[in-house]
Amino acid sequence: MAWLLAGMAASCRVTAVSDGDTVKCLQDWREVTLRLSQIDAPELAQPYGQRARAALAARVFGRSVEVERHDTDKYGRQVVRRWLDGVDINLA
């Protein structure tokens, strides 16, 4: 069962940053993998991949974010839009 239905919103705490567009988030004692919608950051081994991960981690690691689910990708990750303190993290 999906953690969120499409269009639903919830909050969760970011527990890990995998790369520049993917995080793990804890909500109700369950850790889920979330991918930012509408962006594609470089993979860790690609140029600027480490910088993209560090930039996202600096903004969200350990913090509570609001998420709105848009879809599920082929890897089973929730594809979401995220906000932190009213700032759209996907856009930032």
Side-chain angles (χ1 to χ4, degrees):
M1 182 175 169
W3 174 56
L4 286 173
L5 298 175
M8 286 182 62
S11 64
C12 64
R13 187 173 53 85
V14 177
T15 57
V17 178
S18 304
D19 58 28
D21 58 17
T22 308
V23 301
K24 291 190 183 212
C25 203
L26 186 66
Q27 202 258 353
D28 294 333
W29 300 102
R30 181 176 175 208
E31 190 173 63
V32 293
T33 302
L34 305 175
R35 186 177 182 291
L36 278 79
S37 65
Q38 303 169 335
I39 69 163
D40 187 22
E43 299 302 320
L44 291 176
Q46 294 176 329
Y48 302 101
Q50 294 290 337
R51 286 187 186 181
R53 178 179 180 242
L56 181 59
R59 282 189 172 260
V60 300
F61 181 72
R63 305 207 44 206
S64 290
V65 296
E66 296 294 318
V67 297
E68 179 183 287
R69 181 173 173 255
H70 289 237
D71 202 356
T72 301
D73 70 9
K74 65 182 180 180
Y75 303 108
R77 300 176 295 191
Q78 305 280 329
V79 180
V80 300
R81 181 160 225 99
R82 282 183 285 226
W83 292 270
L84 175 64
D85 299 330
V87 175
D88 183 335
I89 298 299
N90 297 41
L91 183 59

